[in-house]
Amino acid sequence: MKRSKSVVLNEPLNVGGKTIAEVVVRASTVGDEEDAMQLAVNMKRSTNPVTVEVSLLSIVTRLPYDAIRGMRGADYGKLRDALNELNGAVENPTPPETEAGTSQPA
């Protein structure tokens, strides 16, 4: 399984005076997920799932939180897709089959 993926941005970011046109996304760990939630709690925004997700993307890309917040949707979507791919997320999982070959509800 791949541990990281490079994402070429449609619109480069300016971070600390440097232009960043390509971002490396790494697979997240459970600890990263926990740290992302804690960052959201510290911002008093723990009930906002986007805040938690942006915090997680900040951790796995090493980009500042505010840099990710300033991205256009298409680039943000690329980062999200890369992370989901690395973590093995499946959007529409196939329901498990019974021995008779019919699907059962999960």
Side-chain angles (χ1 to χ4, degrees), residues 4-44:
S4 65
K5 182 175 182 173
S6 290
V7 174
V8 176
L9 302 175
N10 296 329
E11 294 183 36
L13 298 172
N14 186 341
V15 177
K18 294 182 180 178
T19 300
I20 299 174
E22 188 171 345
V23 177
V24 175
V25 179
R26 68 167 174 80
S28 65
T29 65
V30 174
D32 294 329
E33 304 266 349
E34 183 179 40
D35 291 346
M37 178 55 89
Q38 187 60 51
L39 288 170
V41 167
N42 292 347
M43 288 186 265
K44 300 186 183 339

Side-chain angles (χ1 to χ4, degrees), residues 2 38 52:
K2 288 176 66 174
Q38 187 60 51
V52 177

Side-chain angles (χ1 to χ4, degrees), residues 32-89:
D32 294 329
E33 304 266 349
E34 183 179 40
D35 291 346
M37 178 55 89
Q38 187 60 51
L39 288 170
V41 167
N42 292 347
M43 288 186 265
K44 300 186 183 339
R45 298 174 72 186
S46 61
T47 59
N48 184 335
V50 176
T51 301
V52 177
E53 184 178 73
V54 172
S55 296
L56 180 60
L57 287 170
S58 176
I59 292 167
V60 300
T61 62
R62 296 186 171 192
L63 288 173
Y65 178 88
D66 286 336
I68 295 173
R69 282 191 76 223
M71 288 181 143
R72 301 265 185 217
D75 283 334
Y76 182 81
K78 285 182 172 185
L79 296 183
R80 181 190 295 160
D81 290 347
L83 181 61
N84 286 339
E85 180 182 319
L86 290 165
N87 286 343

